[in-house]
Amino acid sequence: MHRRRIVVGNWKMNGRLTSGLTLAQDLVKKAELNRPEGYDLVICPPFTLSWPVSEVVVGTPVHLGAQDCHVDTHGAFTGDVSAAMLVDVGCRYVILGHSERRRDHGETDALVQKKIQAAHQAGLTAVVCVGESRQVRDAGDAASFVSAQVKSIMSARFTPENLVIAYEPIWAIGTGVTPSPDEITDIHETIRGLFGQAGAQVRIVYGGSVTPQSAEGIIRLDEVDGFLVGAASLNSDGFWHIAQFCHGRW
Ligand code: PEP
């Protein structure tokens, strides 16, 4: 089963107006010279840069995403942004359930599920993050923990186009440590199995300390359909290098 690969850059709370625009422009130049084939290339700047970056990327092979959305379409929710608002500024993707939001904003699986529904209603593709802590892995519970997270979002109405699962073990994010190939394959297979027949079409990407050095070995794993990249997405050369491992087919 051929699944279109996807590479998503999560800028997190990084990027001022000038540096963010430069990063987006550099990436667009590269993508226009060597148009992505067989994969989608997405960048997710902070909300303040959604509109200016949109003006740089819309109509180019680089797609725009955001890092969160609210469950409602509008209303008295100070500091929040709705999925429809993201669509207004050209977003096609939204990262949901990132472990930093679960940790810092107390996001639960139930809330993430509602956010996925809101994203789908607005026509966005949800890039949903799941992954276990070091403690859970050391206890031998990684597969069951991640399965529970994925099951909790299963009732959301999804298609292979509007849902991407990102397996991001918390202990691998920003640490320079990556799981072994067997560990990645094992969890990706577990997640795919939860979707039954549709599983063959669901895109499951890996995230956590992906670098130009580590990406090649990881993308060779049949189960891996691309990457969610944090720190390394802040450098256009490095991010582009990672994306090249998804170009065409191996
Ligand atoms: C992330 O937080 O989504 C992530 C993958 O971060 P990093 O690549 O920096 O580990």
Side-chain angles (χ1 to χ4, degrees):
M1 163 65 64
H2 171 64
R3 291 179 295 271
R4 188 173 171 81
R5 288 172 171 168
I6 178 166
V7 182
V8 182
N10 175 12
W11 292 9
K12 308 193 183 188
M13 196 173 73
N14 293 294
R16 301 287 295 276
L17 188 56
T18 306
S19 61
L21 285 179
T22 304
L23 181 53
Q25 282 157 352
D26 285 353
L27 210 54
V28 165
K29 270 188 221 148
K30 293 177 196 303
E32 283 188 329
L33 277 175
N34 184 11
R35 297 182 80 81
E37 266 174 40
Y39 76 104
D40 297 316
L41 186 60
V42 183
I43 52 175
C44 301
F47 289 138
T48 50
L49 293 181
S50 297
W51 177 246
V53 167
S54 175
E55 292 196 299
V56 174
V57 304
V58 166
T60 79
V62 180
H63 301 301
L64 185 65
Q67 300 172 19
D68 183 40
C69 71
H70 194 267
V71 298
D72 282 294
T73 54
H74 63 279
F77 304 107
T78 303
D80 281 313
V81 172
S82 76
M85 290 169 175
L86 298 178
V87 172
D88 278 349
V89 294
C91 288
R92 292 172 58 178
Y93 297 83
V94 62
I95 297 170
L96 295 174
H98 192 283
S99 59
E100 287 156 10
R101 291 208 61 83
R102 294 177 189 260
R103 180 195 66 199
D104 299 338
H105 299 271
E107 295 200 1
T108 60
D109 287 336
L111 181 69
V112 174
Q113 201 238 28
K114 283 186 189 154
K115 289 188 174 195
I116 296 169
Q117 279 172 341
H120 287 168
Q121 249 157 24
L124 292 168
T125 293
V127 180
V128 182
C129 304
V130 295
E132 80 287 356
S133 65
R134 182 79 254 175
Q135 205 182 3
V136 168
R137 172 149 295 269
D138 289 347
D141 295 333
S144 58
F145 181 87
V146 172
S147 294
Q149 284 184 316
V150 175
K151 278 185 200 154
S152 74
I153 60 151
M154 299 285 281
S155 61
R157 207 175 277 168
F158 73 90
T159 68
E161 284 75 42
N162 71 14
L163 182 73
V164 175
I165 303 286
Y167 170 51
E168 297 208 310
I170 296 168
W171 50 275
I173 294 177
T175 59
V177 180
T178 50
S180 69
D182 282 351
E183 286 171 332
I184 296 175
T185 296
D186 179 43
I187 298 290
H188 280 227
E189 276 176 355
T190 300
I191 295 171
R192 202 173 295 292
L194 296 171
F195 287 90
Q197 279 201 326
Q201 290 172 286
V202 174
R203 295 190 287 178
I204 307 173
V205 302
Y206 169 77
S209 295
V210 174
T211 62
Q213 291 71 40
S214 63
E216 183 171 7
I218 298 172
I219 200 66
R220 285 184 186 278
L221 304 172
D222 283 346
E223 278 298 325
V224 174
D225 301 318
F227 300 111
L228 177 53
V229 186
S233 72
L234 297 174
N235 174 288
S236 66
D237 288 339
F239 187 53
W240 183 248
H241 195 135
I242 292 167
Q244 292 319 287
F245 293 119
C246 291
H247 188 88
R249 290 185 59 80
W250 287 87

